[in-house]
Amino acid sequence: MSGAVLVAIAASIGNLLQGWDNATIAGAVLYIKKEFNLESQPTIEGLIVAMSLIGATIITTFSGPVSDSVGRRPMLIISSVLYFLSGLIMFWSPNVYILLLARLIDGFGIGLAVTLVPVYISETAPPEIRGLLNTLPQFTGSGGMFFSYCMIFGMTLTPSPNWRVMLGVLSLPSLLYFALMLFYLPESPRWLVSKGKMKEAKAVLQKLRGREDVSGEMALLVEGLGSSGDTSIEEYLVAPATDLTESDAPSDKDKVKLYGPESGLSWVAQPVTGGSILGSVLGSTVMSRGGSIIDTMMDPVVALLGSVHEKNPESTGSMRAGSNLFAHFGSMFSVAERVGPREDNWTEEDPHTTDYDDTRSSDHEMTEHDEESGLEAPLLSQNDLPVDHDNSIGEVQGAMGIGGGWQLAWKVSEKDGVYKKVFLHQDEVPASRKGSMVSLSGSQLPVSGDFVHASALVSSSVLGSKGLVIEDAIGPAMVHLPETTAKGPFWKELLEPGVKHALFTGVMLQILQQFSGINGVLYYTPQILEQAGVGVLLSNLGISSDSASILISAVTTFLMLPCIGVAMRLMDVSGRRSLLLTTIPILVVSLIVLVISNAVHMGTVPHAVLSTGSVIIYFCTFVMGFGPIPNILCAEIFPTRVRGICIAICALTFWIGDIIVTYSLPVMLNSIGLGGVFGIYAIVCCFAFVFVIFRVPETKGLPLEVIIEFFNVGSKGLQNEVME
């Protein structure tokens, strides 16, 4: 996974530059207002700081649709260029108006980086470390702030600090960012697949995953192009075909065949009546919405994903977990079966052929590295797969582990030949029951061998698109995309129930994050600590008030870094939802302590201890949960074709909320005071805690394509309830 880790680190430099800029302007503005005599023009002074927010808000409006059209990588390259240009212009700025222009350009670069880096990392990272890698932007942003504060602190100790140098230094790391984006960073494989660039996507995945056989993930990426909204939950009994005799088995049309690791060995998945564990969770959640207020508030998606993680905690967050469910299946197929004659030289110009010749030799061999790492060789090559010529069974075209304990498979409708994709996940049922009775399609079936109960998310496959199911179609791992998927995103997809459901969750998280008080605490940290006596202590050491303020900010930022490191470790272990539910109450307590310390008159020492301790605890807790997780979740819960648009809507909410909070602070301070402001922030955090409990699902370890299926099926359950 080193390839995915390295590209995530490279992309996160954009957030390092954002943190660097936020810190430098905080220090530089102290000297800018002196040179341009802005003490009597607070509006201009405020604009210098806020112009980057305005620029980020403007560019975010366009970044999503444009990135869906031209790609993630070109937009990140543009971001690096904007960073570089803004640094040069700020270094040169002869007057305040040129400086305002430079700050606007800088905001454009910030907006692109903040919006698209989480999207890029989510689309390139393996499911089991996606949370860790998507916490990197928070870490690098805080690291950039720390290094910038250190630089500014050193410059404030000189006789004549130069604000132009403070701001212009931004151009140096932006050159590194530009070089990495241009020469090292690959395009997102999911975006490449969405544009039909299959060969490029395959090459990128091979680089990111460090292996030749990536056909399984290619198939998953293809299936992620749609958000059909027709997802249903089914239950299957998966057993070796040899264990189900003709007298025991139900009608052939109910069967779904899965191929095993050896030629001639196959498994059969048969529908089980009575409902699956996931289906029962969905049913009970929807039915209970007419009961108590708590039951009514619970989101079915939260209940469904909670059941998955609760029942199978050992299977989430691991690409190898999929192979543990169906031990005889291995980790993934090298290529799925195709019907009809084989054509081996696939190109984008000739969509009905494939380029598997260059990897077929590796399909039958395990390298020493694979054996040592416990990875299994691909199950079947294209030549090994049997063909069901009479099509008597609803054929599954292939099955493969896709991470998080999930298997991807396909079945074909006997009536119209339309493909359905099937995401299989093992239920908490013993894998072997000798002589037990299982209800299959309404009949009691005795099973004498090993079998696995599996819940399944079943929905329309892109293979079933018009013109796709043709006689000489290749397998789903390298399918030619329908014309519709090669075009730009469909705005109408935003109105799909699952997408609307996910968009509501993402937008609300961004609103609650901004109004939880982070900007207010950041802005007034020097003032709070100054009142606590920390500034006086530093002044006694011979440090000026300006230098003391910068040093306090540097120390506070430094303390964030190990906390973010802990969050990175826990993000894919405890999960996003668990971290939010753990950290938000701590935010509430720290804000309440700040309210008390400002409302109650106490001695200098107790006031200093309470204020300083609360601020540090607030910052360190925020960066572990409410800081990175909203962006992580927003980059995970949307389908590929509209991910850019949806993330732009969420980011636009972020920036608008940032502006509102920043400019409402002075008004609120004049009316209700600092204690009142922190009290409001504490109330918002309480509301955020309730929202997370009932509306924010756990997404750790799940493939992106599976997450949106849960939103689809959850929204479908709510729609059915409304119709009834």
Side-chain angles (χ1 to χ4, degrees):
M1 300 179 190
S2 60
V5 173
L6 291 176
V7 298
I9 294 173
S12 297
I13 295 178
N15 296 81
L16 182 147
L17 298 179
Q18 178 214 5
W20 183 285
D21 176 78
N22 289 344
T24 52
I25 193 61
V29 74
L30 300 174
Y31 305 98
I32 292 173
K33 62 182 181 181
K34 293 178 182 179
E35 178 173 333
F36 294 126
N37 300 315
L38 300 179
E39 286 83 355
S40 60
Q41 303 181 59
T43 302
I44 299 297
E45 179 184 347
L47 273 178
I48 292 174
V49 177
M51 192 58 74
S52 62
L53 291 179
I54 297 173
T57 304
I58 293 172
I59 200 68
T60 298
T61 307
F62 309 100
S63 62
V66 174
S67 71
D68 282 338
S69 177
V70 305
R72 321 305 191 203
R73 178 172 172 268
M75 300 299 286
L76 292 177
I77 293 174
I78 292 173
S79 172
S80 66
V81 172
L82 292 171
Y83 273 128
F84 178 73
L85 291 177
S86 65
L88 289 182
I89 298 174
M90 285 188 288
F91 180 75
W92 167 67
S93 298
N95 55 59
V96 71
Y97 303 106
I98 298 297
L99 178 60
L100 289 173
L101 175 63
R103 296 290 299 159
L104 181 67
I105 297 173
D106 180 55
F108 291 158
I110 291 174
L112 291 177
V114 170
T115 303
L116 298 177
V117 167
V119 176
Y120 180 84
I121 293 176
S122 287
E123 292 185 342
T124 55
E128 66 270 31
I129 59 170
R130 188 176 61 238
L132 183 153
L133 296 184
N134 239 335
T135 314
L136 275 174
Q138 182 77 40
F139 185 84
T140 57
S142 297
M145 292 177 65
F146 172 70
F147 289 123
S148 178
Y149 279 132
C150 290
M151 178 196 71
I152 296 171
F153 175 72
M155 296 181 69
T156 59
L157 299 178
T158 63
S160 301
N162 190 325
W163 64 264
R164 288 183 175 83
V165 174
M166 293 180 186
L167 297 177
V169 169
L170 179 70
S171 294
L172 297 180
S174 64
L175 279 177
L176 172 64
Y177 185 42
F178 173 76
L180 289 173
M181 297 303 99
L182 186 62
F183 299 111
Y184 178 73
L185 204 75
E187 182 54 87
S188 162
R190 282 179 166 85
W191 182 86
L192 290 170
V193 167
S194 72
K195 299 302 177 183
K197 300 181 179 181
M198 309 299 289
K199 293 183 69 175
E200 294 178 40
K202 179 183 176 182
V204 170
L205 275 179
Q206 289 172 333
K207 175 183 176 182
L208 294 176
R209 303 295 180 256
R211 62 173 183 265
E212 288 296 314
D213 178 24
V214 293
S215 55
E217 193 166 357
M218 286 291 294
L220 179 65
L221 268 53
V222 169
E223 291 295 355
L225 295 178
S227 56
S228 58
D230 64 346
T231 309
S232 61
I233 297 178
E234 299 178 5
E235 183 182 11
Y236 290 103
L237 178 71
V238 182
T242 55
D243 283 355
L244 298 177
T245 64
E246 292 184 4
S247 60
D248 292 333
S251 59
D252 285 341
K253 66 179 181 180
D254 295 323
K255 295 181 184 177
V256 175
K257 181 179 286 187
L258 302 172
Y259 293 117
E262 301 173 6
S263 180
L265 175 63
S266 62
W267 286 53
V268 173
Q270 304 201 42
V272 179
T273 60
S276 65
I277 290 179
L278 290 181
S280 62
V281 170
L282 177 63
S284 62
T285 304
V286 173
M287 290 296 293
S288 65
R289 293 178 68 83
S292 66
I293 296 178
I294 294 178
D295 292 333
T296 302
M297 293 175 63
M298 181 59 70
D299 191 327
V301 180
V302 176
L304 285 169
L305 285 173
S307 175
V308 170
H309 292 285
E310 178 183 354
K311 298 297 182 182
N312 297 276
E314 75 285 348
S315 67
T316 55
S318 174
M319 280 296 287
R320 299 179 191 176
S323 61
N324 293 332
L325 297 181
F326 310 106
H328 299 290
F329 292 167
S331 57
M332 64 176 59
F333 281 93
S334 62
V335 59
E337 178 197 2
R338 61 174 184 85
V339 180
R342 178 162 58 93
E343 301 178 40
D344 294 322
N345 300 314
W346 185 91
T347 63
E348 292 184 40
E349 291 75 16
D350 184 8
H352 304 305
T353 58
T354 181
D355 64 345
Y356 283 126
D357 282 337
D358 60 340
T359 60
R360 187 174 298 118
S361 61
S362 65
D363 287 341
H364 301 280
E365 300 176 359
M366 287 182 64
T367 65
E368 292 182 4
H369 173 73
D370 291 335
E371 292 175 348
E372 292 173 0
S373 62
L375 298 178
E376 299 186 38
L379 297 180
L380 298 172
S381 71
Q382 201 169 23
N383 297 325
D384 293 334
L385 286 170
V387 178
D388 186 21
H389 294 287
D390 58 8
N391 198 27
S392 61
I393 292 178
E395 199 77 40
V396 168
Q397 297 298 301
M400 59 206 70
I402 55 175
W406 291 86
Q407 293 272 338
L408 171 60
W410 294 266
K411 64 179 181 179
V412 183
S413 171
E414 188 181 36
K415 296 180 180 179
D416 51 17
V418 174
Y419 287 81
K420 290 278 189 178
K421 65 174 177 284
V422 183
F423 291 113
L424 292 163
H425 193 279
Q426 182 180 11
D427 281 339
E428 186 88 349
V429 177
S432 180
R433 293 181 182 176
K434 300 294 182 179
S436 62
M437 300 292 292
V438 180
S439 175
L440 295 174
S441 300
S443 62
Q444 293 294 319
L445 173 66
V447 181
S448 58
D450 293 340
F451 67 89
V452 169
H453 274 280
S455 293
L457 298 173
V458 181
S459 60
S460 298
S461 168
V462 296
L463 301 179
S465 301
K466 184 178 180 181
L468 223 353
V469 183
I470 53 179
E471 187 174 336
D472 61 345
I474 63 174
M478 276 292 183
V479 68
H480 174 52
L481 302 179
E483 293 182 0
T484 54
T485 61
K487 298 179 181 178
F490 289 144
W491 287 91
K492 67 178 182 180
E493 283 198 41
L494 296 178
L495 302 179
E496 291 284 345
V499 177
K500 287 194 298 183
H501 192 163
L503 196 56
F504 172 77
T505 301
V507 168
M508 283 300 299
L509 279 173
Q510 296 293 349
I511 292 174
L512 292 171
Q513 181 204 52
Q514 284 304 303
F515 286 88
S516 66
I518 182 61
N519 288 315
V521 179
L522 270 174
Y523 188 82
Y524 286 99
T525 292
Q527 175 184 329
I528 294 169
L529 298 183
E530 182 73 24
Q531 291 176 353
V534 178
V536 175
L537 176 63
L538 294 176
S539 297
N540 292 336
L541 298 177
I543 299 175
S544 67
S545 59
D546 289 342
S547 298
S549 175
I550 297 299
L551 181 59
I552 290 170
S553 298
V555 172
T556 305
T557 306
F558 176 75
L559 293 175
M560 295 181 188
L561 296 177
C563 296
I564 301 174
V566 173
M568 292 173 67
R569 175 67 181 87
L570 296 177
M571 199 65 69
D572 294 303
V573 178
S574 299
R576 295 84 157 122
R577 174 182 164 88
S578 297
L579 279 176
L580 286 175
L581 293 177
T582 302
T583 57
I584 291 178
I586 301 176
L587 296 180
V588 174
V589 172
S590 62
L591 288 169
I592 291 175
V593 172
L594 282 173
V595 171
I596 294 174
S597 65
N598 280 275
V600 178
H601 295 286
M602 58 184 69
T604 303
V605 174
H607 183 267
V609 171
L610 286 176
S611 298
T612 305
S614 297
V615 167
I616 292 175
I617 291 173
Y618 179 91
F619 279 136
C620 293
T621 306
F622 185 87
V623 297
M624 291 181 65
F626 228 166
I629 291 178
N631 284 340
I632 293 175
L633 286 172
C634 288
E636 292 178 330
I637 59 179
F638 304 116
T640 300
R641 292 178 61 195
V642 293
R643 184 171 292 123
I645 296 175
C646 292
I647 201 71
I649 294 173
C650 294
L652 188 61
T653 304
F654 169 89
W655 292 115
I656 293 175
D658 194 350
I659 293 173
I660 292 174
V661 171
T662 301
Y663 283 94
S664 65
L665 273 174
V667 177
M668 295 173 66
L669 284 171
N670 291 331
S671 58
I672 60 177
L674 192 59
V677 170
F678 289 145
I680 292 177
Y681 291 157
I683 293 173
V684 173
C685 285
C686 290
F687 181 78
F689 182 74
V690 174
F691 181 81
V692 172
I693 289 177
F694 294 108
R695 295 288 176 173
V696 178
E698 181 56 74
T699 60
K700 67 171 183 177
L702 294 174
L704 299 181
E705 291 72 16
V706 172
I707 295 172
I708 188 58
E709 295 295 337
F710 274 103
F711 276 95
N712 286 337
V713 75
S715 301
K716 183 179 179 181
L718 292 178
Q719 277 190 321
N720 293 339
E721 177 201 7
V722 172
M723 292 176 64
E724 293 174 0

